[in-house]
Amino acid sequence: MLDEAHRRLARGTDVVVGVVECHGRPRTEEMLDGLEVVPRRQLCHQGASFAEMDVDAVITRRPRVALVDELAHTNVPGSRNAKRWRDVEEILDAGIDVISTVNVQHLESLDDMIETITGVAQHETVPDGVVRRADQVEFVDLTPEALQRRLAHGNVYPPETVGAAPTDYFRPGNLTALRKLALLWVADRVGEQLHDHRNEHLDDQLHDPRPDHPRAPGADHPHSPGPDHRRGRGIDPRHEHGTDATWPARERVVVALTGGPEGDTLIRRAARIARRAAPVGELLAIHVARSNSPSGGSPANLARQRRLVDSLGGTFHSVVGDDVPGALLDFARGMDATHIVLGGSRRKSWQSLLGPGIGATVAAHSGDIDTHIVAHEHIGRGRDTTPKRSTTAPWRAIASWAVALLGPLIPAAVLVPMRGGVALPGDMLLFLALTVGVALFGGLWQAVVTAVVGSLLLDYYLTAPTHTLKIAAPGNILSLVIFVVIALAVASVVDLAARCAQQAARSQAEADTLSFLAGSVLRSEGALPALLERVRKTFDVESVAVLQRDGPCESWESVGSIGPNPPTRPEKADVEVPVDESLALVLSGSALPADTRRVLGAFAAQAALVLERRTLVAEAAEARRLGEGHSVDTALFAIVARDLRAPLAAIKTGVSGLRSREVHWTRTERAELLATIETGADRLDQLIGNLLDMSRLRMGTIEPLPSDIALDEVVPGAVARAARTAVRVSIPDTLPTVRADGELLDRVVANLVENAVLHTPPDTPVVVAAKAVRDRIELRVVDRGPGLPDDAKDRVFEAFARHGDAPRSRGVGLGLAVARGFAEAMNGSLTAEDTPGGGLTMILTLPASTTPQPNNPLPEPTS
């Protein structure tokens, strides 16, 4: 904001500072030099004086541009407005432009997400609409690493005022999530601006009385409101006025799929078109199903083609519409597509007499969207018309035909005794009701039979002359014909509605199942049994198994099963869903209809992913174990050849000197030699201890004995043994106990303190502090050394790791590796982060004890 102010000031713009919060940052205060600052207004609240922006003074000064910092700021009680953004609105109403700043965490629409991410509730927010009304929004991006460096250097908060809260809030995970929210919010606004700009352009074209001029003289400016100004009201002017223009911001290729076998060819052709537009090409696949046949197309083909689209980086969309070309074009224009890819028609040659096909219709009405008709081997072969197997139960089919044939006898038996008392239209209504009931119970053809039989009975028993099929009155002939027509029409509608309802219910069940698959996260080997159990419950079968074999000639092996007596071979199963030549999902207990294959195929694909992940995890663990073992073995040889030799040489030199009879040593010299021997022995003992600890960690023989431990009982002793310089320990008396192994915890603290002392200047104390964070206890060991770059904060915990040009006399790089291994063995963690103001902070996190603490208050201190 201040950079922009100086740029405009140099350009001659009248700029003043309404309010800028420096927060003690020298760089910010320096950038105020040369800018006119409007004095603030002093307000008193609860006996204290506060400075707030003087809105009246800014308006009286009447600059061209006013700088107003922290848009979401809450004013001191007693101010004219409770929020600073209200002050900004007054300044804007006075005709003064405002440049302001706001952080993403203060946007009102993101408040709940911010609290979820950071754990901190924001008490100062600004409505999104206020920010969206700005003429320009500039996104000032800073990487989490850069912001942490600024924090560590004291550029955000003075080092002496930094506590644990800022470093907790500015964790890399929090900063990355906040950065993503900001990027998405700004990207959404950019999309809105593109949409508005396109509509303004179309408005200009639609209201231009002269086609050769971009805007007619006297026409309203697109930003000026008017009775016909419809931007922002959900009305797309191109639709309202019949304009089919698109505004492509990138190359978007839409491929139309029918569920036929040619879909794979079309998808790959469309992907090649999109790839030529890289890096901004986008592939979108669409399947349009007619409303009276929601599952149009082969489910197996569509499932396979969906996976192919996903593998090529595209997205799959499914819409319902009776006008397939219209639905396809609406989708393409709505997505601002630049290309539409369709397959050549599969219709027979004689079917072209019935009208143009979908491809010809789309090409004729696509406008400025390029249309590609792709040849394939199925052109002109017709569609698959194989009738689907009925899923109606046999008993219901028999009963429905019996009702269709015998059901009309019931109303005839009721109406014959009442002949003459009820008019013919009334008789027809009773038979019509029966026809509707048969359509619901049996289907269309059963209802047709009922209508025909009913019309014959009406003619024979209830139409004069009776007991004959002759009809005396011509009007009765017309009534019977109308009855048959209405009965057939109503029966067809009822049958269609019943089938659509069944299809909708089945589709809903499939959608629920597929949503379960899409939302499942495969994080452990236990995911496979859970998946198979879901298959067993969904399809109501006895047992489910996943069979695998190494090759076509190898025998099948079960890699997971649920239920009694699962199939051991595909041919022994009632249902088999092959994934590939070596993997199959098999079910036993009942045969399933063919239309369940789509969902079963999704389950089989998910099972294959589980197995693939299991294999990859095992291979990665084995490779990691081998790699770590190789690195440790190599380092061990280096230590034996290098680091063990130095203390042994010092010890041998000291002992040899003391034993020598040729040299007479003074008391001071003898003390120095004994000190050298002791130092070498201590270093050798520490080195061997770390090597043994690392060996125990590698072999997995560390077995912690957890108990409730008070940190103020363990930390001082470990600090005293590890450091000969000043270490400041700050552990609250009210801190809960931790659940840890006392011996391991002592070693961890000692190693951390020793590492901190090695890297801290002699005149600067190391700080050891602890606090409770929810159900965990954090122990921080803070040094003021040179610190570490971000990419080395994890590597420093590796065995034998040294950073940069650290001298060998500072250790062999095992202390932190052992400390992290012991911490993780105690169900804790050990991480590193920058110390505000410079240095490195080691954070040991351990679980707090769940045992209730005795309520023994400490005695009051005496003066």
Side-chain angles (χ1 to χ4, degrees), residues 755-841:
N755 177 77
V757 170
L758 285 174
H759 296 90
T760 299
D763 56 344
T764 305
V766 171
V767 178
V768 179
K771 69 172 183 176
V773 181
R774 298 186 181 89
D775 59 343
R776 314 285 283 181
I777 303 297
E778 282 190 358
L779 180 71
R780 292 173 174 258
V781 180
V782 183
D783 69 54
R784 291 293 177 177
L788 288 175
D790 293 338
D791 58 353
K793 286 186 175 65
D794 280 332
R795 294 201 309 269
V796 75
F797 294 104
E798 297 175 0
F800 311 108
R802 284 193 179 96
H803 174 62
D805 56 352
R808 293 177 179 176
S809 61
R810 290 196 172 188
V812 297
L814 280 178
L816 293 181
V818 170
R820 171 173 275 191
F822 283 178
E824 293 176 349
M826 293 185 293
N827 233 358
S829 64
L830 181 60
T831 57
E833 67 177 30
D834 292 326
T835 300
L840 193 68
T841 298

Side-chain angles (χ1 to χ4, degrees), residues 412-486:
V414 173
L415 295 174
V416 167
M418 303 171 56
R419 187 170 47 202
V422 181
L424 183 61
D427 300 338
M428 293 179 178
L429 288 176
L430 188 56
F431 280 93
L432 181 60
L434 177 64
T435 304
V436 173
V438 171
L440 286 171
F441 179 72
L444 177 61
W445 291 110
Q446 289 88 334
V448 170
V449 172
T450 301
V452 173
V453 174
S455 64
L456 294 176
L457 293 176
L458 280 170
D459 183 13
Y460 191 81
Y461 289 106
L462 301 172
T463 304
T466 58
H467 302 97
T468 179
L469 295 179
K470 295 180 180 180
I471 301 175
N476 290 338
I477 298 176
L478 180 61
S479 299
L480 286 174
V481 172
I482 293 175
F483 161 74
V484 173
V485 172
I486 292 177

Side-chain angles (χ1 to χ4, degrees), residues 330-448:
D330 287 343
F331 174 83
R333 293 187 182 113
M335 300 301 294
D336 287 329
T338 55
H339 302 267
I340 297 178
V341 177
L342 307 100
S345 178
R346 285 186 288 154
R347 301 194 306 169
K348 300 288 186 179
S349 56
W350 61 268
Q351 289 179 310
S352 60
L353 300 176
L354 302 177
I358 295 175
T361 304
V362 170
H365 298 87
S366 61
D368 55 353
I369 305 176
D370 295 340
T371 304
H372 306 261
I373 306 296
V374 178
H376 54 86
E377 60 181 359
H378 303 281
I379 291 179
R381 295 188 178 183
R383 299 184 179 274
D384 183 11
T385 58
T386 304
K388 296 182 180 180
R389 188 180 67 180
S390 175
T391 58
T392 305
W395 69 267
R396 182 163 181 170
I398 296 173
S400 63
W401 282 111
V403 171
L405 292 170
L406 304 178
L409 299 177
I410 297 176
V414 173
L415 295 174
V416 167
M418 303 171 56
R419 187 170 47 202
V422 181
L424 183 61
D427 300 338
M428 293 179 178
L429 288 176
L430 188 56
F431 280 93
L432 181 60
L434 177 64
T435 304
V436 173
V438 171
L440 286 171
F441 179 72
L444 177 61
W445 291 110
Q446 289 88 334
V448 170

Side-chain angles (χ1 to χ4, degrees), residues 45-56:
H45 177 63
Q46 296 182 349
S49 179
F50 298 90
E52 293 287 1
M53 181 176 62
D54 193 338
V55 180
D56 292 331

Side-chain angles (χ1 to χ4, degrees), residues 225-237:
D228 296 330
H229 192 69
R230 306 191 178 207
R231 291 185 300 110
R233 299 186 185 178
I235 299 176
D236 192 338

Side-chain angles (χ1 to χ4, degrees), residues 114-459:
I114 298 297
E115 184 173 1
T116 301
I117 293 169
T118 63
V120 178
Q122 297 296 326
H123 301 292
E124 293 185 335
T125 60
V126 59
D128 289 47
V130 175
V131 184
R132 289 184 183 277
R133 286 198 298 271
D135 293 330
Q136 299 179 38
V137 174
E138 181 174 347
F139 176 47
V140 183
D141 186 26
L142 194 66
T143 65
E145 295 77 13
L147 183 54
Q148 285 192 316
R149 282 195 297 271
R150 286 177 52 80
L151 186 71
H153 295 161
N155 296 335
V156 180
Y157 300 101
E160 62 273 8
T161 64
V162 177
T167 55
D168 288 345
Y169 188 86
F170 294 121
R171 292 180 183 274
N174 291 355
L175 297 177
T176 301
L178 293 175
R179 187 186 189 197
K180 179 180 179 180
L181 288 178
L183 287 167
L184 292 174
W185 195 93
V186 174
D188 181 60
R189 174 176 168 81
V190 172
E192 291 178 356
Q193 290 176 329
L194 178 62
H195 185 269
D196 290 345
H197 186 53
R198 177 180 62 187
N199 289 348
E200 291 168 8
H201 177 81
L202 295 175
D203 280 338
D204 294 341
Q205 291 181 339
L206 294 170
H207 294 93
D208 181 13
R210 296 184 300 162
D212 58 342
H213 197 277
R215 183 177 298 157
D220 290 338
H221 192 275
H223 290 286
S224 61
D228 296 330
H229 192 69
R230 306 191 178 207
R231 291 185 300 110
R233 299 186 185 178
I235 299 176
D236 192 338
R238 68 185 183 192
H239 291 165
E240 184 180 3
H241 300 283
T243 303
D244 293 335
T246 60
W247 198 293
R250 64 172 65 185
E251 294 287 343
R252 286 191 173 95
V253 182
V254 172
V255 53
L257 304 176
T258 64
E262 76 283 356
D264 297 32
T265 301
L266 303 185
I267 293 170
R268 293 186 176 93
R269 182 73 175 93
R272 289 195 294 272
I273 296 175
R275 195 176 297 119
R276 287 200 297 266
V280 293
E282 187 174 349
L283 174 65
L284 304 96
I286 178 175
H287 170 64
V288 181
R290 300 183 187 274
S291 58
N292 59 356
S293 180
S295 61
S298 167
N301 288 341
L302 289 174
R304 184 184 68 255
Q305 290 159 13
R306 179 191 293 269
R307 292 193 296 269
L308 178 58
V309 171
D310 292 340
S311 67
L312 293 174
T315 57
F316 188 94
H317 306 265
S318 182
V319 299
V320 178
D322 291 331
D323 180 13
V324 175
L328 178 58
L329 289 172
D330 287 343
F331 174 83
R333 293 187 182 113
M335 300 301 294
D336 287 329
T338 55
H339 302 267
I340 297 178
V341 177
L342 307 100
S345 178
R346 285 186 288 154
R347 301 194 306 169
K348 300 288 186 179
S349 56
W350 61 268
Q351 289 179 310
S352 60
L353 300 176
L354 302 177
I358 295 175
T361 304
V362 170
H365 298 87
S366 61
D368 55 353
I369 305 176
D370 295 340
T371 304
H372 306 261
I373 306 296
V374 178
H376 54 86
E377 60 181 359
H378 303 281
I379 291 179
R381 295 188 178 183
R383 299 184 179 274
D384 183 11
T385 58
T386 304
K388 296 182 180 180
R389 188 180 67 180
S390 175
T391 58
T392 305
W395 69 267
R396 182 163 181 170
I398 296 173
S400 63
W401 282 111
V403 171
L405 292 170
L406 304 178
L409 299 177
I410 297 176
V414 173
L415 295 174
V416 167
M418 303 171 56
R419 187 170 47 202
V422 181
L424 183 61
D427 300 338
M428 293 179 178
L429 288 176
L430 188 56
F431 280 93
L432 181 60
L434 177 64
T435 304
V436 173
V438 171
L440 286 171
F441 179 72
L444 177 61
W445 291 110
Q446 289 88 334
V448 170
V449 172
T450 301
V452 173
V453 174
S455 64
L456 294 176
L457 293 176
L458 280 170
D459 183 13

